[in-house]
Every structure is written in structure tokens, then in C-alpha cells.
Amino acid sequence: MGVSETVAEEMASRRLVRRLGDLSFNLVAKAPAPILDLIEDCFGDLPRAQEPDPPGEGPRLQIRVTTDQRIDGQYLYRIDIEGIPTWHTDAPSAVVDHTVTSLTRLVLDHTVGRLHLHAGLVVGAHGGILITGPSGAGKSTVTAAALRSGCTFVTDEMVSLDPATRRATGLLKPLTFKGQTWNLHADLLGDAPKRGDRWSVRASLLGPVADPSSAAVSGEGVPVRLIVLPRYEPSAEALTVRDVDSASAAVRLVTETLDMERDAVQAFETLVHFVTGARVVEVTYSDARRVGEWLVGQPTTPSTPTVVEQVPSVAPFGNLHRHRAPAVVSFLLNARVALYDEQRGLAADLDEAASLWWLALDGHQSVTAIAQMFAEAVKGDRNEIENAGIQLIGELEQVGFVQ
């Protein structure tokens, strides 16, 4: 898969007409033949767009890649994509990476009525497996490992959720690797390219890829039965799997949501109900291949069904005592509360004791009265309970959750 660059290579032209999500594009590239082969191979899993444009569809996006030579003889590639500033790079792999990243952003901007997560999606024997986490956690690494273990690849970048059904579809695109991940698959990919720090490859080089017309890509979506929160730890000697409660899972997914700002309250509600239909696990690993092996055949339903109840909002006026901020939307998931402040964009989950305080802060009871109620219920010391409540309320007030 590596591409060598020699100044003597003759330029050639090639045209690709493909579809990424709901976006069809026409890519015309002029570059040395090995670069054209790289571009064509990376987009090999994408469906071809119809020609001419089907009735009712707008004109397809135009992309142009041209090649110049710097004074030192190295190639310099120019990428022009409609609606996006011109971009230059001297790394062949970055041509594909920039194009895919730009197309992904355009698909996100033009897709409404759905919620999008920065996540990978594969399909196993029992349904969809969503893989997400912050940068460096190993989202693409674990997605590739699952693919090699027999799961079907859908995406390693963007997953779309239907708010009504909570089913997921994925943006079918090339896999994007960094060096360490590439080396795990060198037996199939060959040596990593020498230039650049991110490289895109055709996912079908590693395993099965979802059909572009399947439910997981362009249909009604697939139910997600397992949500994996990877955590890469180089010193980990063994694979560690820890179940994550639904309230904590919903809050963690907020940070991986790409379009939370469109309708934050509905988005948070979608996440809350989405996580309750799946088993959520945090997987700590040093060798991603072990994660892929573990994923195959794992139970994919929560051990304890989650009961979801929206906590009533508090009126903005007429409250005599401390109360939940009116702008905060919150849900009780079994015994724990997940809450989200639309104005500040903050999310948090509370443990069971703090959740009881949250439910009691309705503005009609004093802190002392609430503490007395709890003390009678557990036969505890009212002063200790009240002091703990005051400390909790102070912490919640600092971030605007309580008034």
C-alpha cells in the first residue's frame, strides 16, 4: 500500500464517481499513476453514483486533485472541494484523508433529523456494536480488530441515530489508521507509508464490509446491542471489561455527539433511551486483537433492564427553597440520574445518594426538611445527612445545575 514518489513519474488523469452517505461526488485527479491507484483503491468500497444524476437530485459535488512539483522536486498536491478552502499537502496519504474528512463534514452538515456520533460501527452475530471514545482511546483500532475477528464493517467515523427508533446507520468510508494500528495489520496491508501520520485504506482489505444498500448503511438501521468504550493502556497485562451504568454511559456519549447543538434536549433524550437498549462496557486493553476476539459471541443485552423516567422540570418562579435549575433536563435511569444543561452544554451523572437529593430539590422543601425525611427513612443522623446535602448542593450550584 506504500507509494513511492519519484520526480520522473509521468502524470495521468482519472475520474471517480462515488457516493458517501447521501452525498454523491465527482473526483477528477491528475497525478502520477501510483497516486491515482491509491486514491481509487481507498474509495473502492464506496458505491458508484448513478450517471447521469437521477431526477430530483442536485448536482453532485465536484472535487479536483492536481499535482505540482516543488523546487526540490517533491510533489505538491492541491485539493479543491466545492465549498471548502483549497488545501495543499506533500503527503499522498493526506490527499485521501483530507478528502474523506471534508466529505464527512459535508454529509453531517446536510443531514437533518438524526443524531450523529463520532463512533465506529460493526455488525456481529447479535446486532450492531458501537465503538466510541475520546481521541487516542482506540476507536478505529478496535473497529479494525473487530473487523478482522469476523464482524462486518460499517464505519469507523460517524454513526447516525434515528431519534424515533434509536437504530443506527453508519457512514461507509475508508478506514483511517495511525502508525501503530497499521502495524497490527501489516500482514494484509504491507509496510506503512513513509510519509504522513494518518493513512486511509479500503476496509475490505481486512474483512467483510456492509453492502451499501443494507439496513446498516442506507436502510432503517440496525439495533445496537453492545456499546464499547475503549481505553488504551500500554501497560495493561490483560484485557479488562467493566460494565458501565446507563446514566454514566449517556453522559459519556454527549462528548462524542457531533451535532448536539441542533436540538440539545431531544439529542440528550435520544442518547438516554439509546444506551438503555444495549450493554455498555469499558474495555481496557494493550492489544486490540484481544478486544476483537472478545467481541465475537459476547452477550449483548444489559444484565438488568433499565427503567427510564424523566424528572419533572421546576418552574422558574415561585420557589421558596433550593431547587433544580429550570434549564436542566434530567432522567432517572433505575436509581441514578443523568442530567444536561442546554444553556451551558454540560452533562453529568449522579450516584444513588446524590440522585435522591436531586429528586427532592423541587423548590417546595427546605434542605433541613429533606435531610429530616432521609434520616427517618434510613434511621440516620440528620445533621450528617444535611451537611452532606449542603456540600452536594454547593457543588451543583457552582456548575449551574441548582439554584
Side-chain angles (χ1 to χ4, degrees), residues 373-385:
M373 177 180 64
F374 290 162
E376 292 174 357
V378 299
K379 296 182 172 53
D381 183 275
R382 183 189 63 79
N383 289 331
E384 291 183 3
I385 294 174

Side-chain angles (χ1 to χ4, degrees), residues 124-386:
H126 304 291
I129 302 172
L130 184 129
I131 303 161
T132 188
S135 177
K139 172 177 56 68
S140 292
T141 302
V142 171
T143 301
L147 172 60
R148 290 206 65 174
S149 294
C151 294
T152 299
F153 174 82
V154 182
T155 188
D156 72 335
E157 183 67 23
M158 188 167 77
V159 174
S160 173
L161 300 181
D162 184 326
T165 66
R166 282 97 192 191
R167 286 175 170 254
T169 55
L171 185 69
L172 185 61
K173 59 173 284 293
L175 272 166
T176 302
F177 287 156
K178 295 180 181 178
Q180 186 173 8
T181 301
W182 184 292
N183 292 335
L184 291 174
H185 309 289
D187 58 322
L188 296 179
L189 303 179
D191 294 335
K194 293 182 170 55
R195 298 178 66 82
D197 57 2
R198 283 165 49 98
W199 308 288
S200 296
V201 300
R202 176 166 46 91
S204 55
L205 292 172
L206 301 186
V209 174
D211 187 290
S213 62
S214 67
V217 178
S218 59
E220 70 274 15
V222 295
V224 171
R225 300 306 187 196
L226 181 64
I227 300 174
V228 179
L229 308 174
R231 180 173 173 267
Y232 175 64
E233 179 53 63
S235 61
E237 297 182 358
L239 189 71
T240 303
V241 179
R242 180 180 67 86
D243 282 282
V244 178
D245 69 88
S246 296
S248 178
V251 169
R252 290 176 69 166
L253 287 189
V254 167
T255 60
E256 305 306 324
T257 301
L258 299 171
D259 47 3
M260 197 79 186
E261 70 285 352
R262 288 181 177 175
D263 188 340
V265 172
Q266 184 191 59
F268 188 63
E269 182 176 0
T270 297
L271 293 176
V272 165
H273 288 280
F274 174 62
V275 299
T276 61
R279 181 188 181 196
V280 186
V281 296
E282 182 182 75
V283 179
T284 302
Y285 71 98
S286 60
D287 186 344
R289 290 169 293 193
R290 294 185 181 180
V291 185
E293 295 167 357
W294 178 85
L295 286 175
V296 177
Q298 284 300 307
T300 54
T301 55
S303 56
T304 303
T306 301
V307 177
V308 181
E309 179 182 352
Q310 185 166 358
V311 179
S313 59
V314 175
F317 305 106
N319 297 292
L320 299 176
H321 303 286
R322 310 305 297 276
H323 58 278
R324 304 183 293 272
V328 176
V329 58
S330 58
F331 293 86
L332 180 65
L333 296 90
N334 289 346
R336 298 190 60 174
V337 166
L339 46 95
Y340 182 76
D341 185 338
E342 181 182 11
Q343 295 180 350
R344 297 174 176 81
L346 296 177
D349 61 292
L350 307 179
D351 62 25
E352 293 186 14
S355 295
L356 290 173
W357 274 99
W358 179 260
L359 296 173
L361 290 172
D362 57 8
H364 302 305
Q365 307 175 82
S366 68
V367 173
T368 299
I370 296 172
Q372 181 63 40
M373 177 180 64
F374 290 162
E376 292 174 357
V378 299
K379 296 182 172 53
D381 183 275
R382 183 189 63 79
N383 289 331
E384 291 183 3
I385 294 174
E386 183 173 1

Side-chain angles (χ1 to χ4, degrees), residues 31-80:
I35 309 301
L36 298 178
D37 291 341
L38 171 68
I39 295 172
E40 187 166 16
D41 186 73
C42 285
F43 288 116
D45 291 330
L46 299 187
R48 297 179 183 274
Q50 296 183 36
E51 291 192 275
D53 294 338
E57 287 194 10
R60 60 175 50 100
L61 184 74
Q62 300 299 314
I63 303 173
R64 183 170 296 275
V65 179
T66 54
T67 309
D68 295 314
Q69 280 186 304
R70 300 188 313 202
I71 194 169
D72 61 1
Q74 291 290 333
Y75 290 126
L76 182 65
Y77 307 99
R78 168 176 170 155
I79 302 99
D80 290 290

